Amino acid sequence: MATSIIAIDAMGGDYGPRCIVPASIACLAEFPSLHLVLVGQAPLLEELVARIPAVDRQRLQIEHASEVIAMDERPAQALRGKPDASMRVALDLVRNGRAQACVSAGNTGALMALSRYVLKTLPGIDRPAMVSAIPTARGHCHLLDLGANVDCSAEHLYQFAVMGAVAAEALGTDRPRVALLNVGTEDIKGNQQVKLAASLLQQAEGLNYIGYIEGDGLYRGDADVVVCDGFVGNILLKSSEGLASMISSRMEALFNESLGSRMVGALALPLLRRLRTDLTPARHNGASFLGLQGIVIKSHGSAGSDGFQSAIRRALIEVRENLPQRLHGRLEHLLL
């Protein structure tokens, strides 16, 4: 299998390099063809790597970056004021061809701004969109945008739909069903942007647009790609994560209420563990910035080691599928 090289912003996220370094090394053990470049403060990264036995240093490099972008830092400040930030250096590695993808758990706004500045967008794309897999009754669907673009025009929603469809197809879904998230399925429902986007999508040849979808339809698995603006998408994503955690906690509490419930819980434990695994946000962690001339994966800032490994896996899949090139090849046939 061909070598895949991924640059890791090792200084980002709520837990920083003490979480990211072990997660990265665990992925090296999982994927023999994977090579990683850890970007950040080299003395600290070398110290953390040295604590882990049997690290294959032939497949692990450390690239020094003297600056760190804070989680609450303004994107404009990160763009103009920190040229040697770990996030910026990791993206530069992708631009210069030394890496095929970048993974970061850092400041989302800064990552989007820097990604657009360093890597540029694909021809015909105005704004990149964040997309991730959401668990459904039939498996999962690709939801975008997840927060990169709070205010969107109908044309932006159309572009998101096209990119989401191409990405879903590249990742294994045959003729993906594309839907617009709306407050109802009737044609008269929705705001002006959604109605205009629906009109554009109905005219798109080669796109399997199935119309509007409501939130319950998303979780039933009625569509493979669901499109909305970043304001709605981010609220939906965070609500989904919170709901999954709440259900898990409530079920655990119910099974511990009495001796009888504990006995029932013991019998149901294997199924409960499987359900928790299927719904846990860590399993689905890793949002892709579609529309860039390079692969950028955003890990949840609060993700632990398992979650960050999922983000690296997502990057590896996109590298192997050569996703930006596939997008570029298909976009010119689908964009208006």
Side-chain angles (χ1 to χ4, degrees):
M1 188 173 291
T3 296
S4 301
I5 306 172
I6 297 175
I8 306 293
D9 171 16
M11 308 304 293
D14 295 348
Y15 304 113
R18 286 171 175 78
C19 168
I20 292 171
V21 169
S24 301
I25 292 173
C27 278
L28 284 178
E30 184 178 356
F31 301 103
S33 63
L34 177 63
H35 290 235
L36 295 178
V37 183
L38 296 177
V39 183
Q41 296 170 357
L44 174 59
L45 298 182
E46 290 285 4
E47 177 186 341
L48 292 172
V49 170
R51 296 178 186 176
I52 302 174
V55 177
D56 185 356
R57 291 305 301 263
Q58 295 296 316
R59 296 191 291 127
L60 180 69
Q61 301 177 51
I62 291 177
E63 186 85 8
H64 181 65
S66 61
E67 298 173 310
V68 177
I69 295 174
M71 295 297 283
D72 59 352
E73 196 161 335
R74 291 182 179 275
Q77 181 180 350
L79 184 63
R80 300 189 188 101
K82 292 189 173 179
D84 199 42
S86 57
M87 186 185 292
R88 173 68 176 269
V89 173
L91 290 166
D92 283 338
L93 292 176
V94 178
R95 181 189 60 186
N96 297 333
R98 290 184 53 195
Q100 296 157 289
C102 167
V103 179
S104 175
N107 182 316
T108 303
L111 183 61
M112 176 58 76
L114 284 168
S115 296
R116 291 183 66 179
Y117 178 77
V118 173
L119 299 177
K120 314 301 181 188
T121 57
L122 290 168
I125 297 299
D126 297 324
R127 300 180 181 182
M130 289 177 64
V131 60
S132 187
I134 301 295
T136 71
R138 300 182 184 179
H140 66 270
C141 78
H142 300 275
L143 177 66
L144 71 164
D145 179 50
L146 296 178
N149 304 282
V150 175
D151 297 309
C152 297
S153 66
E155 288 75 16
H156 294 144
L157 294 176
Y158 176 82
Q159 292 176 13
F160 297 167
V162 171
M163 292 192 294
V166 174
E169 192 172 24
L171 297 173
T173 303
D174 184 41
R175 194 166 164 71
R177 300 162 297 163
V178 179
L180 281 170
L181 188 63
N182 200 2
V183 294
T185 58
E186 301 88 351
D187 290 342
I188 61 172
K189 296 289 184 67
N191 59 29
Q192 192 66 16
Q193 287 89 343
V194 169
K195 290 178 181 178
L196 289 173
S199 178
L200 294 175
L201 288 168
Q202 287 164 358
Q203 302 171 42
E205 296 183 6
L207 197 67
N208 186 16
Y209 174 63
I210 63 172
Y212 295 145
I213 192 172
E214 294 182 81
D216 57 345
L218 184 156
Y219 290 107
R220 282 197 304 268
D222 293 347
D224 302 302
V225 177
V226 175
V227 179
C228 59
D229 64 49
F231 184 85
V232 172
N234 189 265
I235 291 174
L236 178 59
L237 177 67
K238 298 295 176 58
S239 298
S240 301
E241 294 173 350
L243 178 62
S245 297
M246 185 272 289
I247 291 174
S248 177
S249 298
R250 289 289 296 273
M251 291 180 68
E252 187 175 334
L254 287 171
F255 282 127
N256 284 315
E257 279 187 346
S258 65
L259 177 60
S261 61
R262 284 195 292 272
M263 293 175 64
V264 173
L267 292 173
L269 190 59
L271 292 176
L272 291 175
R273 285 176 175 168
R274 181 177 175 181
L275 178 63
R276 178 179 291 182
T277 299
D278 288 344
L279 296 180
T280 181
R283 181 182 179 185
H284 305 281
N285 183 52
S288 175
F289 283 5
L290 289 182
L292 294 168
Q293 297 185 41
I295 296 169
V296 178
I297 304 297
K298 172 65 174 72
S299 171
H300 201 301
S302 63
S305 180
D306 290 345
F308 198 82
Q309 288 177 59
S310 294
I312 296 176
R313 293 187 193 103
R314 171 80 185 205
L316 187 57
I317 291 170
E318 294 195 9
V319 168
R320 290 175 175 174
E321 294 296 331
N322 208 10
L323 189 56
Q325 286 72 21
R326 293 183 69 160
L327 275 169
H328 178 61
R330 291 288 308 281
L331 288 175
E332 59 183 356
H333 302 294
L334 290 171
L335 289 176
L336 296 176

